[in-house]
Amino acid sequence: MADERKVQFIETAMKLFAEKGYYSTSIQDIVDAWGISKGAFYHHFSSKEDLMLAIIQHHFEKMMESFTVIPQDGGSEKERFIQQIAAHFANMHEHKEFLQMMMAEQIPKISSDIHLYLLKQRAYIFSWYCDRLIEVYGTEVERYVFDVATMLNGMIRQYMFCFFLRPSKLHAEEVARFLVRRLDAIIASFSHEEAPILNKEMVEPLIGMEEKERCVLQEKISARIAHMQKKILSLSLDKKIQHELHAALDTLEAELMNEESAPREYVVQGILLYIENRHLPLLADDLAALRKDIEQYRKTNNRWERSKWKKH
């Protein structure tokens, strides 16, 4: 399914779920709206639950992209943070039907995959708040960052609900500046004698979720690369080409597993393109699977994603 076509299918299905409800919408309703057969539906999605997961992933990724991008002319780090929060509120209108669907249905109960994905998104957002708060306020907030991130998350969620109910009555940037002024006051109120309520041990089930998934994906990617290297040695190729392909995969693995810095996108994509341009049919399926694993790793790897919100 081409990406544009898939997005059209996802948006159409999402509108059906928003209008009729997830449980009241049948697969027949969906394929009628898409203009395809049931057989074609199952070619692209294994079930209605799988389709719902695709809808949630699509919209969450779009929402987080608009949230985490820093305006180039944002001024100070705090001003950039204000603009990010404002963009999050302003983005409500574009995703109104999706949010309506999320609020109307007991989404996490649809499937364990959806429940896990939503938990991971919560962990991602919480980690993002923590990182940005330290970047904006410096070491002053570090001791209390989990408490402040929790308060900020609660404030944003409640104001988002108000935006959803009465979008014409609230101005995104005004609310963002109001919330950051509250953060200023909260952080200024801490004293050195006051102990934080939340510490790393207490939030470990949340922030540790990303790290565990990242480690699993690292192992999966390493195993995939080792399998491809073994297969390359079994192919009837010029020894020089075999060596170059083997070395390229070594470099790719080192780039992805580097604990000191985020993977460089141009390096990763350059190596994948180099292998693809060798036009080796027996590696095609392995390369496609590796690309898929790396994309999932990119979405999970907080160090990689941070390059989107940190100024350079």
Side-chain angles (χ1 to χ4, degrees), residues 41-53:
F41 172 90
Y42 287 111
H43 177 72
H44 301 301
F45 301 98
S46 62
S47 62
K48 192 168 73 167
E49 291 84 357
D50 185 36
L51 170 60
M52 175 60 90
L53 177 59

Side-chain angles (χ1 to χ4, degrees), residues 50-80:
D50 185 36
L51 170 60
M52 175 60 90
L53 177 59
I55 291 170
I56 293 170
Q57 289 173 329
H58 172 71
H59 280 275
F60 264 99
E61 286 167 18
K62 285 181 67 178
M63 291 169 70
M64 286 309 301
E65 183 178 356
S66 68
F67 191 12
T68 57
V69 169
I70 296 178
Q72 293 299 313
D73 56 350
S76 67
E77 200 68 74
K78 183 179 288 187
E79 182 62 27
R80 290 185 177 94

Side-chain angles (χ1 to χ4, degrees), residues 112-127:
S112 58
D113 286 342
I114 290 174
H115 178 66
L116 180 59
Y117 178 80
L118 292 174
L119 282 177
K120 287 189 290 189
Q121 287 303 305
R122 180 172 292 185
Y124 175 87
I125 292 169
F126 186 78
S127 295

